[in-house]
Amino acid sequence: MHNPDRPFEVEVVERVEETPTIYTLHLRFTDPGIERSYRCQPGQFNMLYLYGVGEIPISIVSDPDSRGPVEHTIRSVGRVTRGMEMLRVGDRIGLRGPYGRGWPLQEAEGRDVVFVTGGLGCAPLVSLIRYVVERRERFGRIVILQGVKHSDDLIWRRQYERWQRLPDVQVLLASDVGGPNWPYSVGRVTVLFSQAAIDPDRSIVMLCGPEVMMKSSIERLLAIGVPPEVIWLSIERNMQCGIGHCGHCQLGPYFVCHDGPVFHYPALRPWLGVTGF
Amino acid sequence: MTTSPLFLPRDTLDAFLLALRDSGFERILGPMARDGAITMREIDTAADLPTGVGDRQHPGHYRLTETGHGRCFAWANGPQALKPLTFAPRETLWRCERDDDGRLAFRDAGLRHTPTAVIGVRACDLAALRIQERHFLGEPDPDPHYAARRDSLLLVAVHCSHPADTCFCASTGDGPKAESGFDIALSELDEGFVATAGTDRGQQILERLGLAPATMAQGEQADAEIEAAVRCQTRSLPGQNLKDALYARLEHPHWDDVGRRCLSCGNCTAVCPTCFCHAEQDEPVLDGGSSDHLRQWDSCFTAVHSYMGHFLVREETRLRYRQWLTHKLASWHEQYGRSGCVGCGRCIAWCPVGIDITAEVSALLGSGDAQS
Ligand SMILES: Cc1cc2nc3c(=O)[nH]c(=O)nc-3n(C[C@H](O)[C@H](O)[C@H](O)COP(=O)(O)OP(=O)(O)OC[C@H]3O[C@@H](n4cnc5c(N)ncnc54)[C@H](O)[C@@H]3O)c2cc1C
Ligand code: SF4
Ligand code: SF4
Ligand code: FES
């Protein structure tokens, strides 16, 4: 029986400093057979292992059709993520995955795609935005609503500005705290809904970020007539195993690691925002 | 399969143990009275069994007693029986070796375990074993560590004739009779045991002993003792599927009440035969060139269980107790098609403040609110 808990060795082939505390690692399996057979979907995650320190769940940001290295954008917050910040090209870590259910790419085809993100939980959604932008002809209009706490928190700002210039793409940004270099809105992401051009009959909506933000955004969406069935959201919970064994990621009846992290809103509706689940 | 009942006289117990060893089960675990509790330990002969030992259990209370008779299975389950044998409290999943150039090699931990026969397994623990098998061995990622431990075991059940005051397996449908999941099952009578086999290998072991069929009277006596064990259980849950009833009461004020009494110590999850939560951690090996990746039992009553860096999903004890109870009795149905409680009563006896799952459920549901 294969040991599903055991990682594979990967090598850091590139490291990008996004901000002083956020970095992107490009990882390649040292076993060419695994490198060839590895497949993933936007919204899925890997368990990354730092030698002697521990394992953590991190979303995959690379394009599923690129045969290149697996990319992860990581924010330093604690033991493992700070240790990984020290990694340099040529260093080795462990990786196992991909795990979980990603975004509903098929359901999105032919529809307007609305992205709502808040706080810093943006990595899983940014990979999806890139995926859609790269395959522009398969989708309708694109509406991106991004909220951040502080104007400095917006990583990939130039990328948002580039997206904004594309035809049929609306990018709306808001920051709780503005600043001299912040030409966009000030306030929560929900302040953006009045400016957003969302056609409730043609759209599919993908949300990612703090649960209170997602909950209030969903209320706005439902109020303008978006049906619950077209709403999808990505959830985070403590994860130790990633394969449905350790029990840490439970949310009501679900194991977020394999029933999620991307959930269909109707399935999550009874649990979203209930403190303690 | 269950074979027709044979009679195993009490003075052939040692021959039975020998037959187990001769069949390749080098290690035999059986109940022993040690440190004030019945626990599963390695036994050499039938003399190690707790003859004349009984127990008294109440909420927050467990004591051994003397029965004054010669039976050795006249007790209800102690704090642990099967779970630590299949789901180890702490074990290495893999080891990572790092060479001088920083290259990493991941090696599986050894999966060989001594073939072990366990005598005196109760029906509730067999039911819990089936649940944990579904959890750890189900697709898509069956766990080889659990599988190796499970495969090393031969299980000899003893139908329960002496439930404790805390037991309620009759109401969950998991006991006191062991219906399946055993290799051999015994009913203890004064003069010996009525034995049936549940598997081919169990049958082969019984055949080695050349036993006579049990008499009709012995069979009836065994059935009557199980019937009596059902009748003497006073606790119960108000139904085998409480999912809707509990989901409808997620904001019930009683969660505050029990949250004030609960110490959040995690004893209930440690003794519960179905709880599967564990944490993973890494531990450098003393050779300096490798690190072990371990898993060890964890509990939804700890703070770190729901740690998310900037916040805890379940900061308050009230929320942890609600997670525990609603996982056990509600969401378990969606995850595993049945309740996660097998009525063993351990969480009641081993709770330091005597919190009683059956009483908490009654308080939440109110009287006359039973579900099917
Ligand atoms: C499905 C999923 C996808 C994620 N994707 C990303 C990503 O793309 N980029 C990124 O920077 N972060 C991501 N996270 C969060 C990331 O896993 C945590 O920041 C990380 O576990 C913190 O580990 P640490 O040891 O540095 O922090 P510590 O605070 O030292 O945490 C100790 C342990 O607690 C657990 N833990 C702490 N915070 C979290 C958390 N937020 N989520 C889950 N477990 C946690 C982990 O087991 C961790 O090892 C994701 C989380 C999940 C569940
Ligand atoms: S919840 Fe309590 S009574 Fe039920 S199986 Fe677990 S320990 Fe036994
Ligand atoms: S979440 Fe709690 S009740 Fe459920 S298995 Fe884990 S420890 Fe047991
Ligand atoms: S992360 Fe272990 S069960 Fe989901």
Side-chain angles (χ1 to χ4, degrees):
Chain A
M1 199 184 282
H2 159 72
N3 183 354
D5 295 292
R6 195 190 59 226
F8 298 99
E9 188 195 41
V10 288
E11 180 181 355
V12 179
V13 292
E14 195 180 335
R15 182 188 187 284
V16 181
E17 183 103 350
E18 310 283 0
T19 77
T21 55
I22 300 176
Y23 52 96
T24 298
L25 301 176
H26 299 228
L27 305 168
R28 184 183 290 138
F29 291 95
T30 54
D31 179 331
I34 298 164
E35 176 74 16
R36 266 194 305 280
S37 62
Y38 184 86
R39 295 280 180 284
C40 61
Q41 293 287 306
Q44 287 188 304
F45 66 95
N46 285 319
M47 295 297 291
L48 299 187
Y49 165 73
L50 182 64
Y51 174 77
V53 185
E55 269 191 310
I56 51 167
I58 297 289
S59 309
I60 303 163
V61 292
S62 38
D63 192 286
D65 293 335
S66 98
R67 292 274 66 93
V70 187
E71 292 169 37
H72 290 288
T73 296
I74 305 171
R75 156 178 269 266
S76 287
V77 292
R79 263 162 42 85
V80 180
T81 48
R82 289 211 185 97
M84 286 189 176
E85 194 182 337
M86 306 300 156
L87 292 169
R88 293 295 174 261
V89 170
D91 287 345
R92 314 288 176 106
I93 62 172
L95 183 155
R96 57 188 174 92
Y99 294 126
R101 297 198 195 170
W103 298 103
L105 301 176
Q106 277 188 337
E107 282 88 337
E109 296 231 348
R111 303 188 71 95
D112 292 356
V113 191
V114 180
F115 301 93
V116 185
T117 90
L120 291 143
C122 54
L125 206 60
V126 166
S127 64
L128 180 65
I129 300 175
R130 287 187 191 150
Y131 178 93
V132 169
V133 167
E134 288 291 315
R135 298 156 183 80
R136 194 65 201 84
E137 68 291 351
R138 294 204 226 149
F139 302 91
R141 291 187 63 251
I142 296 176
V143 181
I144 300 169
L145 311 184
Q146 160 93 49
V148 290
K149 266 216 186 67
H150 194 276
S151 53
D152 295 341
D153 290 345
L154 183 69
I155 65 167
W156 300 314
R157 184 162 171 171
R158 257 174 306 161
Q159 184 172 264
Y160 282 91
E161 285 163 0
R162 206 170 57 244
W163 289 338
Q164 197 157 27
R165 289 193 294 271
L166 297 174
D168 286 334
V169 177
Q170 184 182 22
V171 177
L172 295 168
L173 304 170
S175 173
D176 288 359
V177 185
N181 294 318
W182 188 255
Y184 313 108
S185 305
V186 173
R188 295 289 155 94
V189 70
T190 38
V191 304
L192 301 172
F193 279 95
S194 55
Q195 307 162 49
I198 299 171
D199 179 346
D201 299 325
R202 292 185 40 88
S203 297
I204 184 165
V205 187
M206 320 281 192
L207 302 103
C208 178
E211 281 164 46
V212 277
M213 177 289 277
M214 293 197 282
K215 193 169 186 279
S216 52
S217 297
I218 289 170
E219 280 160 15
R220 295 293 184 96
L221 289 162
L222 298 175
I224 60 167
V226 173
E229 291 72 31
V230 300
I231 301 176
W232 300 78
L233 59 168
S234 180
I235 294 285
E236 267 187 31
R237 281 293 175 274
N238 183 300
M239 289 187 182
Q240 309 270 308
C241 71
I243 54 171
H245 288 166
C246 76
H248 282 258
C249 69
Q250 289 182 82
L251 196 182
Y254 304 118
F255 289 94
V256 174
C257 65
H258 69 68
D259 298 319
V262 175
F263 285 93
H264 195 199
Y265 170 62
L268 213 56
R269 184 166 30 192
W271 304 102
L272 195 65
V274 183
T275 309
F277 284 102
Chain B
M1 71 176 270
T2 309
T3 55
S4 53
L6 302 170
F7 183 67
L8 186 113
R10 192 166 286 279
D11 58 12
T12 47
L13 260 185
D14 276 319
F16 178 52
L17 299 185
L18 210 61
L20 292 170
R21 284 190 218 283
D22 287 347
S23 309
F25 295 92
E26 297 159 37
R27 192 166 72 129
I28 300 180
L29 300 182
M32 270 203 205
R34 277 284 186 290
D35 305 327
I38 302 268
T39 51
M40 288 293 174
R41 291 175 189 250
E42 193 154 352
I43 59 170
D44 292 322
T45 69
D48 292 328
L49 295 171
T51 304
V53 180
D55 60 326
R56 213 186 295 283
Q57 304 191 38
H58 305 296
H61 179 95
Y62 177 100
R63 289 284 180 284
L64 293 184
T65 57
E66 282 174 28
T67 60
H69 58 63
R71 294 198 181 190
C72 44
F73 295 97
W75 40 265
N77 258 324
Q80 285 178 348
L82 271 186
K83 183 167 92 165
L85 303 177
T86 47
F87 171 33
R90 185 174 160 89
E91 76 180 309
T92 300
L93 299 179
W94 43 264
R95 171 172 290 190
C96 180
E97 293 164 5
R98 185 165 68 168
D99 71 11
D100 294 341
D101 298 326
R103 271 188 255 272
L104 306 179
F106 295 92
R107 312 231 183 268
D108 284 341
L111 294 178
R112 249 182 313 130
H113 299 289
T114 312
T116 300
V118 191
I119 299 183
V121 181
R122 300 303 192 182
C124 55
D125 283 347
L126 291 172
L129 179 71
R130 269 194 295 279
I131 290 176
Q132 286 218 329
E133 283 173 352
R134 253 197 95 174
H135 176 72
F136 284 107
L137 301 180
E139 292 300 326
D141 292 305
D143 172 42
H145 307 90
Y146 189 95
R149 286 179 192 279
R150 173 67 189 92
D151 289 346
S152 70
L153 298 183
L154 176 120
L155 302 176
V156 180
V158 178
H159 303 301
C160 216
S161 52
H162 290 71
D165 168 61
T166 44
C167 293
F168 56 101
C169 61
S171 95
T172 65
D174 297 302
K177 184 175 187 202
E179 302 285 357
S180 63
F182 52 80
D183 294 284
I184 294 171
L186 307 175
S187 268
E188 185 173 35
L189 307 178
D190 285 339
E191 67 277 21
F193 301 86
V194 174
T196 53
T199 59
D200 288 339
R201 63 179 186 174
Q203 188 176 9
Q204 282 155 15
I205 289 164
L206 290 179
E207 278 167 5
R208 283 166 172 262
L209 297 167
L211 303 173
T215 63
M216 188 89 95
Q218 285 165 333
E220 282 169 2
Q221 171 73 22
D223 291 344
E225 296 215 2
I226 291 167
E227 267 311 302
V230 172
R231 280 195 310 273
C232 79
Q233 293 188 12
T234 53
R235 283 187 161 70
S236 64
L237 285 175
Q240 291 183 6
N241 189 344
L242 305 174
K243 177 170 82 75
D244 295 340
L246 288 171
Y247 281 175
R249 288 165 177 78
L250 295 181
E251 306 302 339
H252 196 288
H254 189 70
W255 299 115
D256 287 321
D257 179 277
V258 63
R260 275 193 294 273
R261 284 173 284 136
C262 174
L263 308 178
S264 207
C265 69
N267 271 16
C268 50
T269 58
V271 296
C272 179
T274 68
C275 273
F276 50 69
C277 280
H278 56 269
E280 297 192 9
Q281 69 183 63
D282 293 86
E283 211 172 71
V285 184
L286 288 178
D287 67 12
S290 49
S291 178
D292 279 345
H293 188 76
L294 307 164
R295 73 168 164 216
Q296 69 180 38
W297 288 3
D298 196 5
S299 164
C300 56
F301 282 94
T302 66
V304 290
H305 190 278
S306 69
Y307 174 73
M308 292 287 293
H310 46 298
F311 77 107
L312 301 179
V313 177
R314 289 177 285 278
E315 175 100 49
E316 300 162 46
T317 301
R318 167 182 76 92
L319 300 177
R320 296 184 199 162
Y321 190 85
R322 188 182 66 180
Q323 165 66 21
W324 182 71
L325 196 81
T326 57
H327 183 213
K328 273 292 104 138
L329 301 180
S331 37
W332 215 287
H333 287 276
E334 288 156 284
Q335 295 173 345
Y336 304 101
R338 61 153 295 168
S339 148
C341 177
V342 297
C344 74
R346 288 183 173 101
C347 57
I348 304 174
W350 295 93
C351 172
V353 293
I355 291 173
D356 172 349
I357 183 172
T358 63
E360 303 313 327
V361 169
S362 303
L364 283 160
L365 266 55
S367 50
D369 213 359
Q371 304 284 305
S372 65

